[in-house]
Amino acid sequence: MRLNLELRGSQLLLAASDEVRSRSEISEARGRQVRWVAGEYSRALAHPEHPLADDADAAVLFARDAIDAYLALAARGELRVRRAAKPESGDHSRQIRIEVLALLAQAIGVDADLPPQPDPVRKAPVGKRPRSLLRASLAELADQGDALPGQVRMLAIGAMVVDTGARSGELCACRIEDLSPSLEEVRLVRRPQGWSEAQAYAEVLQLSGLSTAALRRWLPERLALVERGNDSTLALWVSLHGNHREGHAVPAGIPLQTRGLARAWSRAVAEANVAMAGQPSWSPLPTRMEQLRRGVSPKASPAPMQPDAERAAALLEDVARKGEELAAARRPGEPGGTVSLEARGAVRKAVREAWAEGIEHAVQLSVLADAGLADDAGLAAAGWEPALLAAIDRASGWGRFSKAAASSKA
């Protein structure tokens, strides 16, 4: 998208905003920030305390005095569309504005004389004992017989954060494909703040027993929310209620966004703080997940962003061979005991290695069905969690390969 450099003032800023937001590497959250800053600066040009008017060209828009005047007005809350109880904004908002101004200037093709960015305030991470108590309190809330879906979901999210140190954006990007067949591991694509999309990398991390148990509870709740055959059936974390987005109604069961995750987390932590009030050594937990995340040092192993074709073919051959051996060991009249246990262990290892390579669940299940493990009992013996199998069924729209084959024969 090329900008019309004859544009001036607010029209130029809004055109630059559109250009930046059209880039594939710009996230939805950053896109909202770009639109916000461009709108603020446009309103600043109409403010009597700003030195420029709406006919300002690109060069003067990004001169230091004009930028400083805009930032001062924005910090005082003079450019808000709606009146706020606390009109002033702090260093974090100033930092975002400066980052976005740099993007807008780059899109226009001018050098911006920007002030230095403020050093971000780093809050203290949550200590080991409060994290343990958080796990216990969320588990206690979710283990109640009348636990609400939101409590079950946040138990799973909170336990996963404690295990992996995942950022909210990384969590929201998780799909059911990122869960290992046994629900004992998760594959995360790491996107550290400030890194480009090309710098993202994948890791496999071990999950605790609490995370695995919580996922077993969350997946059935999730199944009741997602609709068959649309993109939301791939997302691991989905919304619990209908909402509105950009003026349009959206149903429950859509992929959870970072803002929704933050709000849900705050509610769950508030409940935990109330439940644990008065416990020895307990102090209220912060409602920002970032502080919890930064107290975690997980052990991780690297994983490919995309499967290697040759390695994937070899891994699937191993899954097929080990699957056939387990199917033979499970046939009536065949010896069980040690033979069956060894076959189970071998196929579970093969399945796990194929998953870690990034091979899709449906592909593995098709291979196992051909190998003679087409029913749920056989797949459970091969290490697949029933709750995950149900989620895969819903995501495929029709059902697993084995179920489709069985239906066609009926």
Side-chain angles (χ1 to χ4, degrees):
M1 174 179 178
R2 299 185 63 180
L3 289 179
N4 178 2
L5 297 183
E6 294 182 0
L7 296 174
R8 291 174 175 267
S10 60
Q11 289 186 335
L12 179 59
L13 290 168
L14 296 177
S17 168
D18 290 341
E19 196 281 329
V20 172
R21 290 187 293 118
S22 70
R23 298 174 185 172
S24 60
E25 70 270 18
I26 297 297
S27 67
E28 182 180 350
R30 178 62 95 183
R32 289 194 296 267
Q33 293 169 352
V34 170
R35 184 167 50 193
W36 162 55
V37 171
E40 270 195 339
Y41 201 174
S42 296
R43 291 190 293 277
L45 297 178
H47 196 282
E49 294 184 26
H50 197 278
L52 301 181
D54 201 32
D55 60 351
D57 64 20
V60 297
L61 276 174
F62 291 92
R64 184 60 171 270
D65 59 345
I67 294 296
D68 285 343
Y70 156 61
L71 292 174
L73 289 169
R76 298 203 311 266
E78 296 286 336
L79 306 176
R80 292 179 181 270
V81 175
R82 298 177 182 175
R83 184 181 299 275
K86 183 182 178 183
E88 298 85 0
S89 60
D91 283 349
H92 181 63
S93 296
R94 178 182 173 87
Q95 181 177 349
I96 291 174
R97 290 184 177 106
I98 294 172
E99 291 172 357
V100 171
L101 287 169
L103 291 173
L104 294 173
Q106 181 189 50
I108 295 171
V110 297
D111 293 328
D113 186 5
L114 299 174
Q117 295 189 18
D119 293 330
V121 178
R122 293 184 65 85
K123 298 182 179 180
V126 177
K128 184 176 180 180
R129 174 169 170 73
R131 287 203 311 274
S132 298
L133 290 173
L134 172 65
R135 276 177 144 175
S137 59
L138 285 175
E140 182 179 348
L141 288 167
D143 283 343
Q144 296 174 358
D146 57 349
L148 299 175
Q151 294 170 335
V152 174
R153 182 183 65 184
M154 289 315 299
L155 167 64
I157 290 177
M160 190 176 287
V161 170
V162 172
D163 287 343
T164 67
R167 297 168 176 82
S168 57
E170 295 166 354
L171 285 171
C172 289
C174 276
R175 306 173 304 148
I176 57 173
E177 293 289 344
D178 296 318
L179 298 176
S180 70
S182 65
L183 302 184
E184 294 175 342
E185 293 175 287
V186 64
R187 182 175 51 241
L188 288 178
V189 176
R190 298 295 198 180
R191 294 182 173 88
Q193 187 173 4
W195 289 31
S196 68
E197 188 69 24
Q199 293 174 297
Y201 61 95
E203 290 182 333
V204 169
L205 300 105
Q206 187 74 27
L207 295 178
S208 64
L210 175 61
S211 286
T212 299
L215 286 167
R216 289 194 189 107
R217 294 198 61 188
W218 163 242
L219 287 173
E221 297 283 359
R222 173 191 172 282
L223 194 65
L225 294 166
V226 298
E227 295 182 6
R228 187 180 298 273
N230 66 31
D231 290 342
S232 69
T233 56
L234 298 174
L236 176 57
W237 311 112
V238 298
S239 61
L240 304 176
H241 309 288
N243 209 328
H244 287 80
R245 184 178 298 170
E246 296 182 355
H248 300 286
V250 292
I254 64 169
L256 195 61
Q257 303 297 313
T258 52
R259 283 187 176 182
L261 177 65
R263 287 194 296 267
W265 177 258
S266 296
R267 288 193 298 268
V269 169
E271 291 176 353
N273 285 335
V274 171
M276 296 301 296
Q279 292 281 346
S281 303
W282 175 261
S283 59
L285 287 165
T287 57
R288 288 177 60 88
M289 191 181 295
E290 173 68 13
Q291 289 174 259
L292 177 67
R293 185 192 70 76
R294 288 197 294 108
V296 179
S297 299
K299 293 182 179 180
S301 57
M305 291 288 284
Q306 297 292 335
D308 176 78
E310 291 186 7
R311 177 167 168 76
L315 289 171
L316 285 174
E317 287 180 6
D318 194 39
V319 169
R321 183 168 56 253
K322 298 299 194 301
E324 289 170 355
E325 292 172 0
L326 177 58
R330 296 181 68 249
R331 291 191 189 113
E334 295 296 328
T338 303
V339 174
S340 180
L341 287 175
E342 289 178 351
R344 286 185 181 208
V347 74
R348 290 182 182 203
K349 180 180 178 181
V351 163
R352 186 267 170 197
E353 290 181 355
W355 165 80
E357 180 67 20
I359 297 173
E360 293 181 354
H361 291 322
V363 174
Q364 287 208 66
L365 291 171
S366 175
V367 169
L368 289 171
D370 288 340
L373 299 175
D375 61 342
D376 288 352
L379 292 172
W384 290 81
E385 277 288 336
L388 180 59
L389 291 174
I392 296 168
D393 285 351
R394 179 60 57 86
S396 66
W398 165 250
R400 294 194 306 275
F401 174 87
S402 57
K403 289 193 171 184
S407 176
S408 66
K409 295 176 182 177

